[in-house]
Amino acid sequence: MEIRPYRNTDDVPIVRLFQDTVHLSTTPDYTPVQQDAWAPVAIDPAQWCAPLANDDTLVAVVNDEIVGFANMTATGYLDRLYVHFAHQREGIATQLVGQLEDDARRAGVRTVTVAASLTAEPFFHHQGYHVLHRNTVLRHGVALRNATMAKVLGTQRCPDRKDR
């Protein structure tokens, strides 16, 4: 697996991965109506991916196929983290988040926050994040539950990190 910086040519496969992951991986926690509101069929890839160009965004690639991506703002907000449903539990999310945390630490960020879905919350707990509060957000008029979670960054690097 290769982890590399985001490119604007990644937009279409990233949106497809996002939609597939939401619809195939969150079924235990979200209804089909909630999934459709979260990841609708009609997404403009350039518009949806525009924030990725401004953030620290990493893409995981296996055999020339994007299998995951994540982005973090300069203030330490982990905005998006998605791993293809067929590649979950392979350590991809851990590597993406670990590298983003290392980048944030080097940039002087002390605390990382994330709005974690119910599905992703156990992953973030395992990574050392704790729940600050629970939320209900509206997407296209549909209520979705998530949790705002945070992690204080220490001075140590992530043990699973592979240098780029």
Side-chain angles (χ1 to χ4, degrees):
M1 177 183 61
E2 170 194 8
I3 294 182
R4 63 163 172 78
Y6 159 81
R7 302 174 190 144
N8 63 357
T9 55
D10 297 332
D11 291 358
V12 171
I14 279 177
V15 167
R16 189 175 322 115
L17 183 148
F18 161 69
Q19 291 167 319
D20 289 348
T21 300
V22 168
H23 286 275
L24 296 169
S25 299
T26 67
T27 301
D29 301 306
Y30 297 96
T31 68
V33 170
Q34 289 173 315
Q35 292 169 329
D36 289 342
W38 181 359
V41 173
I43 293 178
D44 176 350
Q47 182 181 1
W48 193 85
C49 292
L52 303 180
N54 298 321
D55 295 339
D56 185 2
T57 304
L58 300 174
V59 176
V61 180
V62 172
N63 297 326
D64 296 321
E65 178 185 349
I66 294 175
V67 296
F69 70 97
N71 70 303
M72 186 180 293
T73 68
T75 60
Y77 179 67
L78 182 55
D79 187 30
R80 300 174 187 171
L81 169 64
Y82 293 93
V83 173
H84 189 279
F85 66 92
H87 292 275
Q88 293 180 0
R89 293 180 171 67
E90 294 178 7
I92 295 168
T94 299
Q95 288 187 45
L96 289 168
V97 170
Q99 287 191 26
L100 289 174
E101 287 174 353
D102 283 350
D103 292 348
R105 185 181 297 106
R106 281 192 295 277
V109 172
R110 295 290 167 239
T111 303
V112 173
T113 58
V114 62
S117 69
L118 299 175
T119 307
E121 191 175 330
F123 166 80
F124 284 107
H125 274 297
H126 186 71
Q127 299 302 312
Y129 288 72
H130 63 276
V131 174
L132 297 176
H133 53 85
R134 303 219 174 263
N135 313 298
T136 299
V137 296
L138 289 179
R139 294 284 183 264
H140 305 286
V142 176
L144 300 167
R145 293 180 303 136
N146 68 19
T148 299
M149 301 180 76
K151 178 180 181 179
V152 176
L153 298 178
T155 57
Q156 297 297 317
R157 293 173 63 188
C158 247
D160 294 329
R161 181 172 193 263
K162 294 181 181 177
D163 287 327
R164 292 185 230 170

